[in-house]
C-alpha cells in the first residue's frame, strides 16, 4: 500500500491543498514552492479600505464648511462590513446625510433614500433609528430630525475603519 501525502497552503484562506501518493504530491510541491517564492518577492498590495484622496475641488469645501469629505455615498457605504446590521447601515447613512444637510441633521427618509439608491433595503428604517437612539448613537435635534452623536461617530469609525471617517 502506498503512503498518502498532503500539502496544504492557506494564504489567508485562498487555500491550496494537494493530496495523493507521495510521488504525486512531490510533483506539485515543487510547483507550489516556486509560486510561493513569487508571492514573497512581490510587495504587499495597499490596504483594501483606503479611500481615494479628495480632489482639489472637494478638499476646499470640506475645510471651509468644517465638515468631513466622505466622497460619494456609494464609496462610503462599501466600507461597511458584511456583518453590519440594518441599524448600523442606517447610522452610516444618517451620518453621511447629516454631513450634506445645512442643519447638520438627518431624517429617517434621507438616510433610507441613500441606502435605497445603492440597492440596500432596510426592513424597518424607523425602528433602526429608534434603536440607535436607545444606544445613544444619535439624538433628536427637532421632531423627525436626528444628529449622530460622538459615540455614534466613534462606533462608525471602529466598525468601518479609522481612515474612512476623518477626525
Amino acid at each position: 500500500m502506498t503512503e498518502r501525502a498532503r500539502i496544504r497552503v492557506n494564504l489567508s484562506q485562498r487555500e491550496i491543498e494537494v493530496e495523493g501518493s507521495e510521488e504525486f504530491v512531490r510533483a506539485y510541491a515543487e510547483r507550489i514552492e516556486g509560486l510561493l517564492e513569487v508571492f514573497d518577492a512581490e510587495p504587499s498590495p495597499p490596504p483594501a479600505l483606503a479611500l481615494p484622496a479628495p480632489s482639489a475641488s472637494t478638499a476646499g469645501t470640506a475645510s471651509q464648511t468644517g465638515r468631513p469629505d466622505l466622497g460619494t455615498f456609494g464609496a462610503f457605504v462599501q466600507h461597511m462590513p458584511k456583518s453590519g446590521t440594518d441599524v448600523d447601515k442606517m447610522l452610516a447613512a444618517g451620518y453621511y446625510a447629516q454631513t450634506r444637510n445645512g442643519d447638520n441633521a438627518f431624517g429617517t427618509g434621507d438616510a433610507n433614500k441613500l441606502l435605497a439608491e445603492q440597492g440596500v433595503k432596510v426592513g424597518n428604517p424607523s425602528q433602526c433609528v429608534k434603536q440607535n437612539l436607545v444606544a445613544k448613537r444619535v439624538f433628536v435635534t427637532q421632531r423627525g430630525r436626528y444628529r449622530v452623536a460622538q459615540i455614534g461617530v466613534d462606533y462608525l469609525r471602529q466598525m468601518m475603519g479609522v481612515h474612512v471617517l476623518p477626525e
Side-chain angles (χ1 to χ4, degrees):
M1 187 161 129
T2 61
E3 290 288 324
R4 301 218 26 106
R6 173 190 275 182
I7 296 175
R8 185 170 179 2
V9 179
N10 191 325
L11 293 182
S12 228
Q13 298 188 6
R14 289 197 176 173
E15 304 187 43
I16 299 172
E17 189 170 312
V18 179
E19 186 174 344
S21 67
E22 193 172 334
E23 187 178 310
F24 179 77
V25 171
R26 189 175 294 126
Y28 280 96
E30 293 170 6
R31 293 180 192 169
I32 292 172
E33 285 174 4
L35 182 63
L36 291 175
E37 287 174 7
V38 170
F39 283 135
D40 286 340
E42 291 183 18
S44 59
L49 292 178
L51 285 176
S55 65
S57 63
T58 59
T61 56
S63 62
Q64 290 171 356
T65 63
R67 295 187 180 152
D69 180 23
L70 303 175
T72 65
F73 182 68
F76 178 70
V77 81
Q78 289 297 318
H79 297 285
M80 178 70 61
K82 291 187 190 291
S83 62
T85 65
D86 285 354
V87 176
D88 297 336
K89 292 172 187 172
M90 280 299 289
L91 180 64
Y95 180 73
Y96 187 89
Q98 94 178 19
T99 63
R100 299 296 187 256
N101 291 333
D103 63 350
N104 198 28
F106 72 95
T108 305
D110 300 333
N112 193 41
K113 182 179 177 189
L114 285 170
L115 290 168
E117 288 172 353
Q118 296 300 315
V120 177
K121 293 181 181 164
V122 175
N124 190 339
S126 296
Q127 185 61 35
C128 292
V129 172
K130 286 178 186 172
Q131 287 180 354
N132 277 313
L133 272 168
V134 169
K136 300 191 186 292
R137 293 185 190 127
V138 301
F139 60 91
V140 178
T141 59
Q142 59 181 328
R143 184 179 168 104
R145 302 294 291 169
Y146 307 92
R147 184 172 300 146
V148 177
Q150 188 60 48
I151 294 170
V153 174
D154 293 342
Y155 178 78
L156 287 171
R157 200 174 273 129
Q158 177 185 3
M159 181 178 49
M160 297 175 78
V162 176
H163 61 280
V164 175
L165 297 172
E167 290 288 332

